[in-house]
Amino acid sequence: MAPKDADYLEIAHQRAIEKKTHVSFPQLKYPSLRDEGFRDYKQWLLGKSMDDGAEGLWRVHDSLYDLGQFVESHPGGGEWLELTKGTDITEAFECHHIAPIAEKLLPRFYVRDAKTPRNSPFTFKEDGFYRTLKNLVSEEIKKVPKDKLKCTNMITDGLFVALLISSALSCSTTNYWLVMGFSIVASVSLAWLVVAAHNYIHRKASWRMYYFNLSLWSYREFRVTHALSHHLYPNTLMDIEVSGFEPLIFWNPRKNMPFYANLAILLEFIIFPFLFITNWIRRMLVALLRDGLFTKHNGIYWHDLIGFSLPLWMYFASNANFYDVITIWLGILCGGSFVFFVIGANAAHHHPKIFKDGDQVSSLYIFILHTGMRVNLDNNNIKIIIIYWVTMTHLLYKTE
């Protein structure tokens, strides 16, 4: 979706330099804290709370609600509301609640109208494209066979079993080629398991979402960086999966970028294998240097340690010494990290024809322009689960 207006290009360049507003949406404030600190999920939430005018409550459209008493009884799990307190949750509310029941319940918690305009380009008008489509989707979802969820669960559990078997076998032999072969299978199994487990992160709390943490990553962090940031504001300045890679990799179009920006594909091959590990290290540093260890809603959580259960399993399920187990496990982590991020970077989210901040927006701009380009209707459950095969519907409706 490249800009065509030469005058716009110069205006866009000036906006990008000033960093006072979005480039494509000059009516929106430049996100607070976007380019500072560790660029972690808590910092993103804090910056969003500074811009959203929610006044310590939960904002939906132009109204403020006190959902504090509803946290424990929220059908999707209290963590969603705990994380988003003090922010504008309009996009999350619209996308995660396909059925109208939530909208009927919301007025019970009304406090007052918001004092400031929403810092978002989306309107969700009743007769607009998104809500019209959502109403149709709501009816179609009722027709989905109940066994579809069972199939998803079986595929995900199967990937977990494949990871356990291949990782244990990689430590049970001294033959180099067998070790490499089983390690590669374990790496791919881990990457696909993380992709599959991410689907449970979008939904209500489920024990399968903890599969995600076998990568040393955090499902809780991913709920913010992916579900609440990337899915709701793809490729805008509010997408932390874009800002998190800067200043090494630049997804959004900009003028006068560093020379190495043209070497992004090479940098990805260098960076991607280590992101599982570096994400865990960064999370621990944030807990140690900023949040305080083991403090409520901060610091380290018990599920941050789930990833270390895999090398323990490899050790007890094989005859290998501890050093060899750690070495092979780190190799599996790096391989899995590489495969996962290659899938993520090529799942149409960053396709050149997808909207990105910097593109010129027409009067026909709608929420769907943020979604992926590829929609495959071959009904292949495995493709859908492990490589984001139906990107558009996945981004538009998070509970599919």
Side-chain angles (χ1 to χ4, degrees):
M1 188 177 167
K4 297 180 180 180
D5 189 333
D7 292 335
Y8 169 78
L9 291 175
E10 190 58 40
I11 295 172
H13 177 52
Q14 189 60 35
R15 289 174 187 164
I17 293 175
E18 293 175 352
K19 292 188 176 183
K20 294 180 179 179
T21 68
H22 291 229
V23 175
S24 296
F25 306 104
Q27 75 274 23
L28 304 182
K29 177 182 178 295
Y30 192 89
S32 296
L33 308 181
R34 181 186 186 273
D35 305 321
E36 302 177 17
F38 287 98
R39 303 189 188 188
D40 63 296
Y41 76 102
K42 296 174 186 175
Q43 179 175 302
W44 184 85
L45 287 170
L46 177 60
K48 195 169 188 301
S49 69
M50 295 167 64
D51 300 334
D52 283 355
E55 302 177 35
L57 300 169
W58 288 263
R59 178 172 183 165
V60 180
H61 297 294
D62 292 319
S63 300
L64 304 183
Y65 301 88
D66 186 354
L67 302 175
Q69 295 182 346
F70 188 62
V71 171
E72 296 300 324
S73 55
H74 182 234
E79 189 172 56
W80 288 109
L81 296 181
E82 173 220 317
L83 287 168
T84 56
K85 184 178 181 181
T87 68
D88 184 343
I89 61 171
T90 301
E91 283 76 16
F93 182 83
E94 290 283 351
C95 297
H96 285 84
H97 301 108
I98 307 302
I101 184 172
E103 194 165 0
K104 294 178 181 178
L105 184 65
L106 190 61
R108 298 183 188 179
F109 305 96
Y110 173 81
V111 177
R112 59 182 174 273
D113 288 346
K115 299 176 182 177
T116 59
R118 284 197 344 108
N119 196 50
S120 170
F122 310 124
T123 59
F124 300 104
K125 294 179 180 179
E126 188 60 42
D127 59 348
F129 171 83
Y130 186 83
R131 281 210 166 187
T132 300
L133 181 60
K134 185 167 78 167
N135 291 334
L136 296 173
V137 169
S138 178
E139 295 302 316
E140 289 300 315
I141 285 179
K142 298 175 183 177
K143 303 175 185 178
V144 177
K146 300 297 183 182
D147 62 351
K148 284 291 184 180
L149 182 57
K150 292 182 180 180
C151 180
T152 300
N153 293 341
M154 288 178 61
I155 293 173
T156 304
D157 294 340
L159 290 170
F160 175 59
V161 172
L163 172 62
L164 291 181
I165 294 174
S166 56
S167 62
L169 290 175
S170 67
C171 296
S172 300
T173 179
T174 56
N175 182 287
Y176 173 80
W177 294 110
L178 287 178
V179 171
M180 291 298 295
F182 287 129
S183 296
I184 291 173
V185 173
S187 294
V188 174
S189 297
L190 175 62
W192 285 355
L193 177 61
V194 174
V195 175
H198 117 277
N199 290 290
Y200 298 91
I201 293 174
H202 287 290
R203 305 191 223 159
K204 64 181 180 181
S206 164
W207 64 267
R208 285 187 175 87
M209 66 188 183
Y210 293 116
Y211 281 151
F212 189 87
N213 287 38
L214 287 169
S215 65
L216 286 185
W217 215 345
S218 164
Y219 86 86
R220 179 182 171 91
E221 176 181 8
F222 206 63
R223 274 191 160 176
V224 177
T225 62
H226 190 71
L228 295 176
S229 177
H230 173 67
H231 266 242
L232 302 183
Y233 313 101
N235 298 324
T236 69
L237 294 183
M238 292 184 284
D239 185 351
I240 194 174
E241 290 190 5
V242 170
S243 61
F245 280 98
E246 297 173 3
L248 294 177
I249 298 174
F250 297 85
W251 296 111
N252 290 337
R254 292 293 184 267
K255 187 178 179 181
N256 299 331
M257 290 191 292
F259 74 92
Y260 57 80
N262 296 318
L263 305 175
I265 190 169
L266 297 178
L267 291 174
E268 289 172 3
F269 274 85
I270 296 172
I271 295 171
F272 283 178
F274 304 103
L275 289 183
F276 279 172
I277 296 173
T278 55
N279 267 311
W280 188 87
I281 293 174
R282 182 185 64 174
R283 200 161 64 253
M284 296 303 105
L285 286 175
V286 168
L288 178 64
L289 301 177
R290 193 185 67 194
D291 296 334
L293 293 174
F294 306 109
T295 55
K296 186 177 182 181
H297 303 321
N298 284 303
I300 300 174
Y301 299 85
W302 66 268
H303 46 75
D304 284 320
L305 305 178
I306 287 178
F308 296 101
S309 64
L310 183 58
L312 286 176
W313 155 257
M314 293 165 62
Y315 178 75
F316 288 111
S318 68
N319 296 320
N321 61 60
F322 188 72
Y323 174 81
D324 288 341
V325 167
I326 295 299
T327 302
I328 294 173
W329 170 62
L330 290 175
I332 292 172
L333 270 181
C334 290
S337 179
F338 177 77
V339 173
F340 175 85
F341 282 97
V342 166
I343 292 173
N346 291 280
H349 296 197
H350 301 296
H351 191 282
K353 293 185 179 180
I354 297 294
F355 169 85
K356 295 180 176 63
D357 183 73
D359 289 337
Q360 189 171 9
V361 179
S362 72
S363 59
L364 296 178
Y365 178 81
I366 52 177
F367 191 42
I368 198 171
L369 290 179
H370 280 275
T371 65
M373 295 297 290
R374 181 178 63 230
V375 178
N376 187 289
L377 302 178
D378 65 2
N379 202 31
N380 188 312
N381 288 322
I382 295 179
K383 289 181 180 178
I384 291 171
I385 292 170
I386 65 176
I387 56 173
Y388 309 111
W389 199 248
V390 186
T391 308
M392 186 176 291
T393 53
H394 181 66
L395 283 169
L396 280 172
Y397 304 107
K398 323 306 178 198
T399 53
E400 86 287 357

